[in-house]
Amino acid sequence: MPTKREHSIAEAVGAAWYAHAHSNDIAIPLGTVAALTMLQVSDIATPAAIANAWEHMPDDKLVHVLRRELWAPFWVRFPYLGRMSLPISRWILDEEPDRATIAGVRAIAAAAFRHGLLDITASADPANRSGADVLGAVLTQLRSRGARQALGEFHTPADVSDLMAYVTTMTELPQTGGWLGEPTAGTGGMIRSVAEVLRVRGADPADYRWFMGDIDALAVAGCAVNTYLWGLGDAVVLFHGDILTHGDALELAIAQRAEILGHHNDLVGRIATATAIRDAVRDVEKLVADINTKKSEKGHAA
């Protein structure tokens, strides 16, 4: 169960989406809120002013901001997390949203800002962003009760997960570098509690290795974004699947992460090589042009 603040944001987002858009694809509103959690804003900008700006933002600029200024930098900085978040970002990265979808997205942004999203997510310090799981609340709000039951999706109340995390670490902190995980993580609410307790006890969550899995692809995508928000560090692996039929889920997730990062590094290497070749060709062309210019000048002088 989300806190009152998270619940208020989730309710506002759900109402805005279903009032303005014609699509039942909940990846769109969830992906919109996920993108907005990456937004860094000036301290002098009030939530009302930001909401008003997004509410009146032209369609092309709104799409540009979501695609080029929020999701794309996330993929560049965190290629593995970007790949795992694809179920909630594909609609804006790979497709062109229609006008009705953009209207719904615009309404979501304004509603989320007016109900305090930035109070939770806009800080540059992950410790100040770890007090809530907004994406979990939004996903719960958007998904019907029947769908949640079919997925076995029952979120642990934040106060309960906080208490469990505190009791688990009461005697001593886990050894740094060790694995901490939740195979049925949802969007990571229990992990958030553990990370928060670690910080209270003077430890850094980024010094541990984290595993989160879930049968719901949208929840796993939410985990990917929350990993960044909560400052869990680089040693994170995510698994989409049924842990009951995949006893080797951790091994599979580690292998998938290595494959994704390997492909990314190969692509970056190819781009770097292509850029180097292009620059070399440009340098040769410039050199030839300079030689030809000097020859021409000598000819004129003779």
mmCIF file of all heavy atoms in Angstrom, residues 139-191:
data_model
loop_
_atom_site.group_PDB
_atom_site.id
_atom_site.type_symbol
_atom_site.label_atom_id
_atom_site.label_comp_id
_atom_site.label_asym_id
_atom_site.label_seq_id
_atom_site.Cartn_x
_atom_site.Cartn_y
_atom_site.Cartn_z
ATOM 1 N N LEU A 139 1.694 2.171 -10.894
ATOM 2 C CA LEU A 139 1.369 0.904 -11.558
ATOM 3 C C LEU A 139 0.164 0.246 -10.895
ATOM 4 O O LEU A 139 -0.729 -0.264 -11.588
ATOM 5 C CB LEU A 139 2.582 -0.031 -11.496
ATOM 6 C CG LEU A 139 2.399 -1.413 -12.150
ATOM 7 C CD1 LEU A 139 2.003 -1.277 -13.613
ATOM 8 C CD2 LEU A 139 3.674 -2.238 -12.014
ATOM 9 N N THR A 140 0.105 0.261 -9.589
ATOM 10 C CA THR A 140 -1.032 -0.320 -8.873
ATOM 11 C C THR A 140 -2.325 0.408 -9.219
ATOM 12 O O THR A 140 -3.371 -0.211 -9.423
ATOM 13 C CB THR A 140 -0.789 -0.257 -7.352
ATOM 14 O OG1 THR A 140 0.397 -0.990 -7.033
ATOM 15 C CG2 THR A 140 -1.960 -0.848 -6.596
ATOM 16 N N GLN A 141 -2.250 1.727 -9.286
ATOM 17 C CA GLN A 141 -3.426 2.526 -9.599
ATOM 18 C C GLN A 141 -3.931 2.266 -11.013
ATOM 19 O O GLN A 141 -5.145 2.194 -11.262
ATOM 20 C CB GLN A 141 -3.092 4.012 -9.438
ATOM 21 C CG GLN A 141 -4.228 4.979 -9.767
ATOM 22 C CD GLN A 141 -5.370 4.887 -8.777
ATOM 23 O OE1 GLN A 141 -5.139 4.588 -7.600
ATOM 24 N NE2 GLN A 141 -6.587 5.133 -9.219
ATOM 25 N N LEU A 142 -3.007 2.125 -11.954
ATOM 26 C CA LEU A 142 -3.394 1.968 -13.357
ATOM 27 C C LEU A 142 -3.914 0.567 -13.674
ATOM 28 O O LEU A 142 -4.741 0.399 -14.570
ATOM 29 C CB LEU A 142 -2.195 2.269 -14.266
ATOM 30 C CG LEU A 142 -1.708 3.713 -14.294
ATOM 31 C CD1 LEU A 142 -0.365 3.798 -15.005
ATOM 32 C CD2 LEU A 142 -2.730 4.608 -14.993
ATOM 33 N N ARG A 143 -3.441 -0.409 -12.951
ATOM 34 C CA ARG A 143 -3.807 -1.796 -13.247
ATOM 35 C C ARG A 143 -5.077 -2.179 -12.497
ATOM 36 O O ARG A 143 -5.230 -1.856 -11.318
ATOM 37 C CB ARG A 143 -2.658 -2.721 -12.872
ATOM 38 C CG ARG A 143 -2.899 -4.174 -13.168
ATOM 39 C CD ARG A 143 -1.586 -4.914 -13.202
ATOM 40 N NE ARG A 143 -0.937 -4.785 -14.510
ATOM 41 C CZ ARG A 143 0.371 -4.819 -14.706
ATOM 42 N NH1 ARG A 143 1.180 -4.915 -13.679
ATOM 43 N NH2 ARG A 143 0.864 -4.725 -15.917
ATOM 44 N N SER A 144 -5.965 -2.863 -13.168
ATOM 45 C CA SER A 144 -7.220 -3.267 -12.547
ATOM 46 C C SER A 144 -6.965 -4.290 -11.447
ATOM 47 O O SER A 144 -5.934 -4.975 -11.426
ATOM 48 C CB SER A 144 -8.158 -3.878 -13.594
ATOM 49 O OG SER A 144 -7.662 -5.137 -14.031
ATOM 50 N N ARG A 145 -7.918 -4.401 -10.549
ATOM 51 C CA ARG A 145 -7.791 -5.368 -9.441
ATOM 52 C C ARG A 145 -7.651 -6.785 -9.986
ATOM 53 O O ARG A 145 -6.844 -7.576 -9.506
ATOM 54 C CB ARG A 145 -9.006 -5.261 -8.521
ATOM 55 C CG ARG A 145 -8.954 -6.220 -7.345
ATOM 56 C CD ARG A 145 -10.160 -6.042 -6.441
ATOM 57 N NE ARG A 145 -10.141 -6.974 -5.330
ATOM 58 C CZ ARG A 145 -9.480 -6.796 -4.198
ATOM 59 N NH1 ARG A 145 -8.774 -5.696 -4.036
ATOM 60 N NH2 ARG A 145 -9.522 -7.696 -3.238
ATOM 61 N N GLY A 146 -8.450 -7.107 -11.010
ATOM 62 C CA GLY A 146 -8.393 -8.440 -11.598
ATOM 63 C C GLY A 146 -7.027 -8.737 -12.193
ATOM 64 O O GLY A 146 -6.500 -9.846 -12.048
ATOM 65 N N ALA A 147 -6.453 -7.740 -12.861
ATOM 66 C CA ALA A 147 -5.133 -7.927 -13.466
ATOM 67 C C ALA A 147 -4.076 -8.123 -12.393
ATOM 68 O O ALA A 147 -3.164 -8.938 -12.540
ATOM 69 C CB ALA A 147 -4.785 -6.722 -14.340
ATOM 70 N N ARG A 148 -4.195 -7.394 -11.294
ATOM 71 C CA ARG A 148 -3.227 -7.542 -10.203
ATOM 72 C C ARG A 148 -3.311 -8.939 -9.588
ATOM 73 O O ARG A 148 -2.308 -9.558 -9.274
ATOM 74 C CB ARG A 148 -3.459 -6.481 -9.127
ATOM 75 C CG ARG A 148 -3.174 -5.051 -9.569
ATOM 76 C CD ARG A 148 -2.982 -4.121 -8.392
ATOM 77 N NE ARG A 148 -4.146 -4.069 -7.533
ATOM 78 C CZ ARG A 148 -5.167 -3.222 -7.697
ATOM 79 N NH1 ARG A 148 -5.167 -2.388 -8.721
ATOM 80 N NH2 ARG A 148 -6.177 -3.224 -6.861
ATOM 81 N N GLN A 149 -4.540 -9.434 -9.440
ATOM 82 C CA GLN A 149 -4.715 -10.769 -8.875
ATOM 83 C C GLN A 149 -4.166 -11.834 -9.813
ATOM 84 O O GLN A 149 -3.567 -12.820 -9.373
ATOM 85 C CB GLN A 149 -6.200 -11.015 -8.584
ATOM 86 C CG GLN A 149 -6.736 -10.185 -7.422
ATOM 87 C CD GLN A 149 -8.212 -10.400 -7.186
ATOM 88 O OE1 GLN A 149 -8.952 -10.749 -8.100
ATOM 89 N NE2 GLN A 149 -8.654 -10.192 -5.957
ATOM 90 N N ALA A 150 -4.368 -11.654 -11.111
ATOM 91 C CA ALA A 150 -3.867 -12.623 -12.087
ATOM 92 C C ALA A 150 -2.353 -12.707 -12.055
ATOM 93 O O ALA A 150 -1.758 -13.772 -12.265
ATOM 94 C CB ALA A 150 -4.352 -12.249 -13.489
ATOM 95 N N LEU A 151 -1.708 -11.583 -11.797
ATOM 96 C CA LEU A 151 -0.249 -11.542 -11.737
ATOM 97 C C LEU A 151 0.281 -11.865 -10.340
ATOM 98 O O LEU A 151 1.500 -11.954 -10.143
ATOM 99 C CB LEU A 151 0.256 -10.156 -12.158
ATOM 100 C CG LEU A 151 0.141 -9.813 -13.641
ATOM 101 C CD1 LEU A 151 0.359 -8.326 -13.856
ATOM 102 C CD2 LEU A 151 1.146 -10.624 -14.455
ATOM 103 N N GLY A 152 -0.641 -12.016 -9.392
ATOM 104 C CA GLY A 152 -0.195 -12.218 -8.017
ATOM 105 C C GLY A 152 0.492 -10.987 -7.469
ATOM 106 O O GLY A 152 1.444 -11.075 -6.683
ATOM 107 N N GLU A 153 0.009 -9.816 -7.874
ATOM 108 C CA GLU A 153 0.677 -8.556 -7.566
ATOM 109 C C GLU A 153 0.059 -7.919 -6.327
ATOM 110 O O GLU A 153 -0.990 -7.271 -6.395
ATOM 111 C CB GLU A 153 0.551 -7.622 -8.783
ATOM 112 C CG GLU A 153 1.460 -6.434 -8.763
ATOM 113 C CD GLU A 153 1.436 -5.721 -10.098
ATOM 114 O OE1 GLU A 153 0.485 -4.967 -10.354
ATOM 115 O OE2 GLU A 153 2.358 -5.935 -10.897
ATOM 116 N N PHE A 154 0.716 -8.106 -5.198
ATOM 117 C CA PHE A 154 0.241 -7.534 -3.942
ATOM 118 C C PHE A 154 1.424 -6.833 -3.274
ATOM 119 O O PHE A 154 2.346 -7.483 -2.774
ATOM 120 C CB PHE A 154 -0.332 -8.620 -3.024
ATOM 121 C CG PHE A 154 -1.479 -9.373 -3.651
ATOM 122 C CD1 PHE A 154 -1.273 -10.601 -4.250
ATOM 123 C CD2 PHE A 154 -2.750 -8.832 -3.658
ATOM 124 C CE1 PHE A 154 -2.322 -11.297 -4.836
ATOM 125 C CE2 PHE A 154 -3.807 -9.512 -4.246
ATOM 126 C CZ PHE A 154 -3.597 -10.749 -4.841
ATOM 127 N N HIS A 155 1.385 -5.516 -3.272
ATOM 128 C CA HIS A 155 2.522 -4.739 -2.791
ATOM 129 C C HIS A 155 2.528 -4.660 -1.270
ATOM 130 O O HIS A 155 1.505 -4.401 -0.639
ATOM 131 C CB HIS A 155 2.477 -3.331 -3.384
ATOM 132 C CG HIS A 155 2.687 -3.302 -4.863
ATOM 133 N ND1 HIS A 155 3.940 -3.272 -5.427
ATOM 134 C CD2 HIS A 155 1.811 -3.339 -5.887
ATOM 135 C CE1 HIS A 155 3.829 -3.274 -6.745
ATOM 136 N NE2 HIS A 155 2.551 -3.318 -7.043
ATOM 137 N N THR A 156 3.702 -4.870 -0.683
ATOM 138 C CA THR A 156 3.872 -4.775 0.763
ATOM 139 C C THR A 156 3.801 -3.304 1.176
ATOM 140 O O THR A 156 4.488 -2.466 0.588
ATOM 141 C CB THR A 156 5.227 -5.355 1.185
ATOM 142 O OG1 THR A 156 5.331 -6.694 0.715
ATOM 143 C CG2 THR A 156 5.371 -5.324 2.692
ATOM 144 N N PRO A 157 2.971 -2.968 2.165
ATOM 145 C CA PRO A 157 2.920 -1.569 2.630
ATOM 146 C C PRO A 157 4.297 -1.066 3.016
ATOM 147 O O PRO A 157 5.123 -1.814 3.564
ATOM 148 C CB PRO A 157 1.983 -1.641 3.837
ATOM 149 C CG PRO A 157 1.129 -2.847 3.581
ATOM 150 C CD PRO A 157 2.032 -3.833 2.885
ATOM 151 N N ALA A 158 4.548 0.211 2.749
ATOM 152 C CA ALA A 158 5.879 0.784 2.991
ATOM 153 C C ALA A 158 6.294 0.669 4.443
ATOM 154 O O ALA A 158 7.463 0.373 4.750
ATOM 155 C CB ALA A 158 5.889 2.244 2.543
ATOM 156 N N ASP A 159 5.368 0.894 5.374
ATOM 157 C CA ASP A 159 5.749 0.825 6.784
ATOM 158 C C ASP A 159 6.113 -0.601 7.189
ATOM 159 O O ASP A 159 7.004 -0.822 8.024
ATOM 160 C CB ASP A 159 4.638 1.385 7.672
ATOM 161 C CG ASP A 159 3.282 0.729 7.427
ATOM 162 O OD1 ASP A 159 3.159 -0.021 6.445
ATOM 163 O OD2 ASP A 159 2.357 0.973 8.224
ATOM 164 N N VAL A 160 5.459 -1.583 6.566
ATOM 165 C CA VAL A 160 5.776 -2.983 6.861
ATOM 166 C C VAL A 160 7.147 -3.352 6.293
ATOM 167 O O VAL A 160 7.964 -3.989 6.969
ATOM 168 C CB VAL A 160 4.697 -3.929 6.290
ATOM 169 C CG1 VAL A 160 5.107 -5.389 6.484
ATOM 170 C CG2 VAL A 160 3.360 -3.670 6.962
ATOM 171 N N SER A 161 7.402 -2.953 5.034
ATOM 172 C CA SER A 161 8.702 -3.269 4.426
ATOM 173 C C SER A 161 9.834 -2.551 5.161
ATOM 174 O O SER A 161 10.934 -3.094 5.322
ATOM 175 C CB SER A 161 8.712 -2.908 2.938
ATOM 176 O OG SER A 161 8.567 -1.515 2.741
ATOM 177 N N ASP A 162 9.579 -1.331 5.628
ATOM 178 C CA ASP A 162 10.589 -0.612 6.414
ATOM 179 C C ASP A 162 10.914 -1.357 7.701
ATOM 180 O O ASP A 162 12.084 -1.489 8.095
ATOM 181 C CB ASP A 162 10.098 0.799 6.750
ATOM 182 C CG ASP A 162 10.078 1.718 5.542
ATOM 183 O OD1 ASP A 162 10.671 1.348 4.504
ATOM 184 O OD2 ASP A 162 9.464 2.793 5.628
ATOM 185 N N LEU A 163 9.868 -1.844 8.380
ATOM 186 C CA LEU A 163 10.065 -2.592 9.625
ATOM 187 C C LEU A 163 10.835 -3.886 9.357
ATOM 188 O O LEU A 163 11.762 -4.236 10.106
ATOM 189 C CB LEU A 163 8.719 -2.905 10.274
ATOM 190 C CG LEU A 163 8.770 -3.746 11.555
ATOM 191 C CD1 LEU A 163 9.563 -3.019 12.638
ATOM 192 C CD2 LEU A 163 7.353 -4.060 12.044
ATOM 193 N N MET A 164 10.480 -4.603 8.283
ATOM 194 C CA MET A 164 11.161 -5.851 7.943
ATOM 195 C C MET A 164 12.637 -5.599 7.659
ATOM 196 O O MET A 164 13.512 -6.357 8.085
ATOM 197 C CB MET A 164 10.491 -6.499 6.735
ATOM 198 C CG MET A 164 9.086 -7.017 7.007
ATOM 199 S SD MET A 164 8.228 -7.535 5.489
ATOM 200 C CE MET A 164 9.298 -8.869 4.931
ATOM 201 N N ALA A 165 12.904 -4.510 6.934
ATOM 202 C CA ALA A 165 14.291 -4.183 6.610
ATOM 203 C C ALA A 165 15.073 -3.838 7.872
ATOM 204 O O ALA A 165 16.237 -4.228 8.029
ATOM 205 C CB ALA A 165 14.332 -3.016 5.628
ATOM 206 N N TYR A 166 14.435 -3.122 8.768
ATOM 207 C CA TYR A 166 15.108 -2.741 10.024
ATOM 208 C C TYR A 166 15.429 -3.964 10.867
ATOM 209 O O TYR A 166 16.547 -4.106 11.384
ATOM 210 C CB TYR A 166 14.215 -1.778 10.813
ATOM 211 C CG TYR A 166 14.818 -1.338 12.126
ATOM 212 C CD1 TYR A 166 15.785 -0.335 12.168
ATOM 213 C CD2 TYR A 166 14.427 -1.956 13.313
ATOM 214 C CE1 TYR A 166 16.344 0.052 13.377
ATOM 215 C CE2 TYR A 166 14.986 -1.572 14.528
ATOM 216 C CZ TYR A 166 15.943 -0.571 14.554
ATOM 217 O OH TYR A 166 16.506 -0.198 15.741
ATOM 218 N N VAL A 167 14.457 -4.869 10.986
ATOM 219 C CA VAL A 167 14.662 -6.081 11.790
ATOM 220 C C VAL A 167 15.748 -6.953 11.185
ATOM 221 O O VAL A 167 16.591 -7.516 11.902
ATOM 222 C CB VAL A 167 13.341 -6.864 11.923
ATOM 223 C CG1 VAL A 167 13.584 -8.226 12.557
ATOM 224 C CG2 VAL A 167 12.328 -6.072 12.733
ATOM 225 N N THR A 168 15.762 -7.056 9.850
ATOM 226 C CA THR A 168 16.734 -7.896 9.162
ATOM 227 C C THR A 168 18.165 -7.438 9.421
ATOM 228 O O THR A 168 19.092 -8.249 9.503
ATOM 229 C CB THR A 168 16.464 -7.899 7.647
ATOM 230 O OG1 THR A 168 15.143 -8.391 7.420
ATOM 231 C CG2 THR A 168 17.453 -8.771 6.906
ATOM 232 N N THR A 169 18.361 -6.131 9.540
ATOM 233 C CA THR A 169 19.714 -5.585 9.721
ATOM 234 C C THR A 169 19.977 -5.141 11.156
ATOM 235 O O THR A 169 20.920 -4.401 11.417
ATOM 236 C CB THR A 169 19.929 -4.379 8.776
ATOM 237 O OG1 THR A 169 18.964 -3.349 9.098
ATOM 238 C CG2 THR A 169 19.758 -4.789 7.323
ATOM 239 N N MET A 170 19.123 -5.597 12.086
ATOM 240 C CA MET A 170 19.204 -5.101 13.460
ATOM 241 C C MET A 170 20.522 -5.506 14.133
ATOM 242 O O MET A 170 21.170 -4.694 14.810
ATOM 243 C CB MET A 170 18.031 -5.633 14.284
ATOM 244 C CG MET A 170 17.987 -5.098 15.728
ATOM 245 S SD MET A 170 16.605 -5.804 16.662
ATOM 246 C CE MET A 170 15.215 -5.199 15.709
ATOM 247 N N THR A 171 20.926 -6.754 13.979
ATOM 248 C CA THR A 171 22.110 -7.236 14.688
ATOM 249 C C THR A 171 23.405 -6.780 14.031
ATOM 250 O O THR A 171 24.330 -6.347 14.707
ATOM 251 C CB THR A 171 22.088 -8.774 14.772
ATOM 252 O OG1 THR A 171 21.969 -9.311 13.443
ATOM 253 C CG2 THR A 171 20.911 -9.239 15.612
ATOM 254 N N GLU A 172 23.464 -6.892 12.711
ATOM 255 C CA GLU A 172 24.665 -6.450 12.002
ATOM 256 C C GLU A 172 24.324 -6.176 10.540
ATOM 257 O O GLU A 172 23.386 -6.745 9.983
ATOM 258 C CB GLU A 172 25.771 -7.505 12.089
ATOM 259 C CG GLU A 172 25.410 -8.847 11.478
ATOM 260 C CD GLU A 172 26.544 -9.841 11.577
ATOM 261 O OE1 GLU A 172 27.649 -9.448 11.995
ATOM 262 O OE2 GLU A 172 26.326 -11.013 11.222
ATOM 263 N N LEU A 173 25.124 -5.307 9.944
ATOM 264 C CA LEU A 173 24.916 -4.986 8.538
ATOM 265 C C LEU A 173 25.409 -6.129 7.663
ATOM 266 O O LEU A 173 26.374 -6.818 8.023
ATOM 267 C CB LEU A 173 25.669 -3.703 8.170
ATOM 268 C CG LEU A 173 25.127 -2.392 8.726
ATOM 269 C CD1 LEU A 173 26.079 -1.252 8.371
ATOM 270 C CD2 LEU A 173 23.738 -2.111 8.167
ATOM 271 N N PRO A 174 24.769 -6.329 6.508
ATOM 272 C CA PRO A 174 25.295 -7.314 5.565
ATOM 273 C C PRO A 174 26.699 -6.911 5.132
ATOM 274 O O PRO A 174 27.053 -5.730 5.118
ATOM 275 C CB PRO A 174 24.313 -7.228 4.387
ATOM 276 C CG PRO A 174 23.092 -6.575 4.933
ATOM 277 C CD PRO A 174 23.562 -5.666 6.016
ATOM 278 N N GLN A 175 27.506 -7.882 4.774
ATOM 279 C CA GLN A 175 28.864 -7.604 4.336
ATOM 280 C C GLN A 175 28.841 -6.891 2.991
ATOM 281 O O GLN A 175 28.122 -7.279 2.082
ATOM 282 C CB GLN A 175 29.662 -8.909 4.217
ATOM 283 C CG GLN A 175 31.130 -8.705 3.876
ATOM 284 C CD GLN A 175 31.893 -10.013 3.890
ATOM 285 O OE1 GLN A 175 31.332 -11.054 4.205
ATOM 286 N NE2 GLN A 175 33.169 -9.949 3.544
ATOM 287 N N THR A 176 29.624 -5.819 2.870
ATOM 288 C CA THR A 176 29.661 -5.083 1.605
ATOM 289 C C THR A 176 30.145 -5.998 0.483
ATOM 290 O O THR A 176 31.013 -6.850 0.678
ATOM 291 C CB THR A 176 30.584 -3.860 1.711
ATOM 292 O OG1 THR A 176 31.886 -4.288 2.108
ATOM 293 C CG2 THR A 176 30.045 -2.864 2.706
ATOM 294 N N GLY A 177 29.584 -5.792 -0.687
ATOM 295 C CA GLY A 177 29.919 -6.626 -1.824
ATOM 296 C C GLY A 177 29.049 -7.854 -1.940
ATOM 297 O O GLY A 177 29.079 -8.551 -2.965
ATOM 298 N N GLY A 178 28.258 -8.142 -0.908
ATOM 299 C CA GLY A 178 27.384 -9.304 -0.942
ATOM 300 C C GLY A 178 26.098 -9.026 -1.701
ATOM 301 O O GLY A 178 25.772 -7.875 -2.024
ATOM 302 N N TRP A 179 25.371 -10.094 -1.969
ATOM 303 C CA TRP A 179 24.115 -9.978 -2.705
ATOM 304 C C TRP A 179 22.951 -9.698 -1.764
ATOM 305 O O TRP A 179 22.800 -10.337 -0.726
ATOM 306 C CB TRP A 179 23.818 -11.267 -3.472
ATOM 307 C CG TRP A 179 24.613 -11.436 -4.727
ATOM 308 C CD1 TRP A 179 25.726 -12.202 -4.898
ATOM 309 C CD2 TRP A 179 24.352 -10.818 -5.987
ATOM 310 N NE1 TRP A 179 26.190 -12.104 -6.192
ATOM 311 C CE2 TRP A 179 25.357 -11.262 -6.886
ATOM 312 C CE3 TRP A 179 23.382 -9.931 -6.449
ATOM 313 C CZ2 TRP A 179 25.408 -10.844 -8.204
ATOM 314 C CZ3 TRP A 179 23.422 -9.515 -7.762
ATOM 315 C CH2 TRP A 179 24.421 -9.966 -8.624
ATOM 316 N N LEU A 180 22.121 -8.738 -2.154
ATOM 317 C CA LEU A 180 20.855 -8.467 -1.481
ATOM 318 C C LEU A 180 19.786 -8.486 -2.569
ATOM 319 O O LEU A 180 19.973 -7.878 -3.625
ATOM 320 C CB LEU A 180 20.880 -7.102 -0.790
ATOM 321 C CG LEU A 180 21.924 -6.931 0.323
ATOM 322 C CD1 LEU A 180 21.957 -5.480 0.783
ATOM 323 C CD2 LEU A 180 21.620 -7.856 1.486
ATOM 324 N N GLY A 181 18.689 -9.180 -2.335
ATOM 325 C CA GLY A 181 17.742 -9.276 -3.436
ATOM 326 C C GLY A 181 16.337 -9.636 -3.026
ATOM 327 O O GLY A 181 16.061 -9.986 -1.877
ATOM 328 N N GLU A 182 15.468 -9.543 -4.010
ATOM 329 C CA GLU A 182 14.055 -9.862 -3.847
ATOM 330 C C GLU A 182 13.557 -10.464 -5.158
ATOM 331 O O GLU A 182 13.437 -9.759 -6.165
ATOM 332 C CB GLU A 182 13.274 -8.603 -3.493
ATOM 333 C CG GLU A 182 11.766 -8.755 -3.508
ATOM 334 C CD GLU A 182 11.276 -9.847 -2.565
ATOM 335 O OE1 GLU A 182 11.215 -9.600 -1.349
ATOM 336 O OE2 GLU A 182 10.976 -10.941 -3.075
ATOM 337 N N PRO A 183 13.292 -11.776 -5.196
ATOM 338 C CA PRO A 183 12.892 -12.423 -6.451
ATOM 339 C C PRO A 183 11.480 -12.080 -6.912
ATOM 340 O O PRO A 183 11.146 -12.299 -8.070
ATOM 341 C CB PRO A 183 13.022 -13.914 -6.133
ATOM 342 C CG PRO A 183 12.837 -13.999 -4.650
ATOM 343 C CD PRO A 183 13.446 -12.742 -4.099
ATOM 344 N N THR A 184 10.646 -11.561 -6.010
ATOM 345 C CA THR A 184 9.306 -11.105 -6.385
ATOM 346 C C THR A 184 9.196 -9.645 -5.973
ATOM 347 O O THR A 184 8.426 -9.279 -5.087
ATOM 348 C CB THR A 184 8.221 -11.957 -5.707
ATOM 349 O OG1 THR A 184 8.428 -11.960 -4.280
ATOM 350 C CG2 THR A 184 8.281 -13.389 -6.201
ATOM 351 N N ALA A 185 9.970 -8.817 -6.647
ATOM 352 C CA ALA A 185 10.228 -7.452 -6.172
ATOM 353 C C ALA A 185 9.141 -6.446 -6.505
ATOM 354 O O ALA A 185 9.108 -5.373 -5.908
ATOM 355 C CB ALA A 185 11.562 -6.962 -6.751
ATOM 356 N N GLY A 186 8.263 -6.747 -7.459
ATOM 357 C CA GLY A 186 7.385 -5.692 -7.931
ATOM 358 C C GLY A 186 8.231 -4.588 -8.536
ATOM 359 O O GLY A 186 9.125 -4.852 -9.344
ATOM 360 N N THR A 187 7.988 -3.367 -8.136
ATOM 361 C CA THR A 187 8.832 -2.258 -8.596
ATOM 362 C C THR A 187 9.977 -1.965 -7.618
ATOM 363 O O THR A 187 10.674 -0.968 -7.750
ATOM 364 C CB THR A 187 7.993 -0.980 -8.797
ATOM 365 O OG1 THR A 187 7.208 -0.745 -7.617
ATOM 366 C CG2 THR A 187 7.082 -1.114 -10.007
ATOM 367 N N GLY A 188 10.155 -2.839 -6.623
ATOM 368 C CA GLY A 188 11.317 -2.729 -5.749
ATOM 369 C C GLY A 188 11.060 -2.128 -4.379
ATOM 370 O O GLY A 188 12.002 -1.681 -3.731
ATOM 371 N N GLY A 189 9.812 -2.132 -3.915
ATOM 372 C CA GLY A 189 9.500 -1.488 -2.641
ATOM 373 C C GLY A 189 10.297 -2.017 -1.462
ATOM 374 O O GLY A 189 10.770 -1.247 -0.620
ATOM 375 N N MET A 190 10.467 -3.333 -1.382
ATOM 376 C CA MET A 190 11.229 -3.910 -0.275
ATOM 377 C C MET A 190 12.697 -3.532 -0.386
ATOM 378 O O MET A 190 13.361 -3.248 0.629
ATOM 379 C CB MET A 190 11.080 -5.440 -0.288
ATOM 380 C CG MET A 190 11.724 -6.125 0.905
ATOM 381 S SD MET A 190 10.915 -5.683 2.452
ATOM 382 C CE MET A 190 12.208 -6.078 3.631
ATOM 383 N N ILE A 191 13.212 -3.502 -1.607
ATOM 384 C CA ILE A 191 14.597 -3.096 -1.833
ATOM 385 C C ILE A 191 14.793 -1.654 -1.407
ATOM 386 O O ILE A 191 15.827 -1.289 -0.819
ATOM 387 C CB ILE A 191 14.968 -3.283 -3.316
ATOM 388 C CG1 ILE A 191 14.912 -4.757 -3.698
ATOM 389 C CG2 ILE A 191 16.336 -2.682 -3.620
ATOM 390 C CD1 ILE A 191 15.884 -5.638 -2.950
#
